[in-house]
């Protein structure tokens, strides 16, 4: 299981195989019941929050290889963020870049990659 705090400390996101395959769940830090965020038969792991708390990043092989995906914290369809491999993603402090690795268990090139994120609209 992997656990990450939201940057406002209001939520925890974690991966768990509680219902068979590994999925991503969200729970308020104050307690309560977890909400399942991903709903496929593929394993989704290594969740993390965007800096603004709107997105949850996770790794999945749902497209045939390890890639980074993101889904809105409030739900919706996940969007693939990487095309040439990626796991264990973290957003930069300014929210402009996504950092990730491709190496897991020494089966991929070692290193840290960076990808620009779409510009956010002012609220």
């Amino acid at each position: 299981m992997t656990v990450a705090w939201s940057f406002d400390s209001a939520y925890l996101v974690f991966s768990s195989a509680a219902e068979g395959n590994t999925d991503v769940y969200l729970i308020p830090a104050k307690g309560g019941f977890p909400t399942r965020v991903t709903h496929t038969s593929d394993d989704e792991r290594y969740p993390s929050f965007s800096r603004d708390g709107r997105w949850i990043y996770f790794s999945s092989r749902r497209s045939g290889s390890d890639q980074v995906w993101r889904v809105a914290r409030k739900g919706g369809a996940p969007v693939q963020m990487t095309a040439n491999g990626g796991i264990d993603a973290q957003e930069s402090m300014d929210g402009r870049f996504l950092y990730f690795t491709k190496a897991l268990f020494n089966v991929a090139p070692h290193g840290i990659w960076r990808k620009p994120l779409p510009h956010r609209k002012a609220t």
Side-chain angles (χ1 to χ4, degrees), residues 18-68:
E19 296 183 34
N21 61 299
T22 304
D23 283 298
V24 174
Y25 295 82
L26 180 70
I27 190 167
K30 293 180 181 179
F33 293 99
T35 301
R36 188 173 169 183
V37 176
T38 58
H39 300 275
T40 70
S41 60
D42 297 292
D43 287 333
E44 285 94 17
R45 303 171 189 259
Y46 309 108
S48 65
F49 279 96
S50 63
R51 296 292 171 185
D52 63 8
R54 292 179 46 214
W55 303 101
I56 297 171
Y57 295 101
F58 61 92
S59 300
S60 177
R61 289 187 174 174
R62 62 174 62 199
S63 63
S65 61
D66 284 320
Q67 302 295 337
V68 174

Side-chain angles (χ1 to χ4, degrees), residues 11 67 104 113:
Y11 292 92
Q67 302 295 337
L104 182 63
W113 281 257

Side-chain angles (χ1 to χ4, degrees), residues 37 71-72 74-78:
V37 176
V71 64
K74 295 182 180 183

Side-chain angles (χ1 to χ4, degrees), residues 14-16 21 24 32 36 44 46 67 70 76 85 93 105 107 116 118:
F14 63 95
S15 58
S16 173
N21 61 299
V24 174
R36 188 173 169 183
E44 285 94 17
Y46 309 108
Q67 302 295 337
R70 80 175 182 185
M93 292 300 285
F105 306 116
V107 297

